[in-house]
Amino acid sequence: MWCTQHELHNMMSSNRLTSLMKSEMLRLYNIVVACKTYNRDGCRLYDIKHYKPTFHLHDLNKMDVNFNDPVWLRVVKDNADSHFFKFRKFWRKYVEGFED
């Protein structure tokens, strides 16, 4: 069934979607907002701290992003707005040996 973003939000709020569909929509939302806000290293694209861009369903078709890339889920969790970001980035690179 095709629906608008507003209808989808209402269905999520009223628990008319399965938990799997809710988690998938939340994952897509987080990845789209992360791609619009941060680069792949987790550094901000804008100088406005804690700025969150808007999310639209049509962004899914316009973006050139692999939504299955685990890098974006890491960026959602660990980015320039999170505490000790630079320390964790240093730790991953030099102690754990992971290159971003």
Side-chain angles (χ1 to χ4, degrees):
M1 174 176 101
W2 292 102
C3 58
T4 65
Q5 186 171 337
H6 180 69
E7 291 170 336
L8 185 62
H9 178 71
N10 287 340
M11 285 191 291
M12 288 180 75
S13 300
S14 63
N15 290 327
R16 293 188 305 179
L17 296 177
T18 64
S19 59
L20 186 60
M21 180 66 171
K22 282 185 194 179
S23 64
E24 184 64 15
M25 289 306 300
L26 184 60
R27 183 183 75 86
L28 289 175
Y29 167 80
N30 285 329
I31 291 174
V32 168
V33 171
C35 292
K36 287 179 157 185
T37 309
Y38 309 102
N39 64 15
R40 290 179 63 85
D41 296 330
C43 299
R44 283 200 148 276
L45 298 174
Y46 310 102
D47 290 334
I48 305 168
K49 193 169 185 173
H50 300 292
Y51 168 72
K52 290 242 185 209
T54 57
F55 170 78
H56 300 285
L57 286 174
H58 61 82
D59 291 338
L60 297 174
N61 287 335
K62 293 180 180 180
M63 297 183 79
D64 184 26
V65 173
N66 180 0
F67 291 101
N68 292 321
D69 189 353
V71 168
W72 290 110
L73 292 176
R74 182 191 51 78
V75 169
V76 168
K77 187 177 118 184
D78 184 24
N79 54 59
D81 289 336
S82 59
H83 296 290
F84 304 111
F85 168 69
K86 290 182 181 178
F87 175 74
R88 282 195 302 274
K89 186 174 179 178
F90 170 84
W91 188 267
R92 276 193 312 272
K93 186 173 184 176
Y94 294 107
V95 176
E96 294 178 354
F98 292 119
E99 287 291 325
D100 287 335

